């Protein structure tokens, strides 16, 4: 399947699920998808910005998989309502979840928005 067509299907599916959760009166929309390549990770970041523009309620959009760390680290800066983080990586922790310390460091130091002049 063409990569652009596949990305469009994923985007439309996520948006349909989000709209339906919002329509049903959810307090927060929560959706988890996969990111097992750079392309999937970038598409999930793009979808996060679309959800911020489209939804009228808070949302948590996460990805799991081999390429999910960036999404989990900067998702809240793009519009997600919260981080899912762990205090430390012990035997019970999911390796792709950031530590609270790492997430805070990224939050405090990532300045990606354009400067307003």
């Amino acid at each position: 399947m063409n990569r652009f067509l596949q990305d469009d299907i994923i985007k439309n599916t996520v948006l349909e699920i989000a709209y339906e959760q919002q329509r049903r009166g959810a307090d927060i929309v929560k959706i988890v998808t996969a990111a097992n390549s750079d392309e999937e990770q970038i598409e999930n970041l793009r979808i996060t910005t679309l959800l911020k523009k489209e939804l009228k309620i808070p949302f948590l959009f996460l990805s799991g998989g081999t390429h999910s760390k960036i999404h989990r680290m900067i998702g809240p800066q793009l519009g997600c309502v919260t981080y899912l983080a762990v205090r430390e990586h012990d035997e019970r922790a999911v390796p792709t979840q950031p530590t609270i310390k790492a997430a805070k460091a990224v939050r405090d130091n990532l300045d990606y928005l354009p400067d307003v002049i």
Side-chain angles (χ1 to χ4, degrees):
M1 178 183 292
N2 178 306
R3 179 75 211 173
F4 294 110
L5 179 58
Q6 184 177 2
D7 287 350
D8 202 45
I9 290 169
I10 293 167
K11 176 196 73 169
N12 289 338
T13 301
V14 169
L15 287 173
E16 285 175 22
I17 292 168
Y19 289 142
E20 183 62 16
Q21 289 182 19
Q22 180 175 265
R23 186 190 69 76
R24 291 181 180 190
D27 294 323
I28 296 174
V29 168
K30 181 183 177 191
I31 300 171
V32 180
T33 189
N36 290 307
S37 67
D38 288 334
E39 294 80 13
E40 287 177 344
Q41 179 170 243
I42 295 301
E43 182 61 13
N44 288 336
L45 294 172
R46 188 175 79 83
I47 292 169
T48 303
T49 61
L50 286 173
L51 291 170
K52 182 179 180 180
K53 291 177 187 175
E54 296 290 327
L55 294 178
K56 296 178 175 85
I57 61 173
F59 68 92
L60 178 58
F61 178 51
L62 298 171
S63 51
T66 58
H67 289 66
S68 63
K69 282 187 178 182
I70 289 176
H71 192 207
R72 287 177 175 264
M73 293 293 272
I74 69 170
Q77 289 154 307
L78 299 176
C80 289
V81 70
T82 192
Y83 292 91
L84 288 185
V86 296
R87 188 172 64 84
E88 62 187 22
H89 285 123
D90 59 19
E91 66 280 352
R92 295 172 294 172
V94 176
T96 56
Q97 281 192 335
T99 62
I100 296 166
K101 183 178 180 179
K104 184 179 181 311
V106 170
R107 184 201 67 196
D108 292 347
N109 293 289
L110 180 65
D111 180 15
Y112 74 97
L113 294 173
D115 292 330
V116 179
I117 299 176

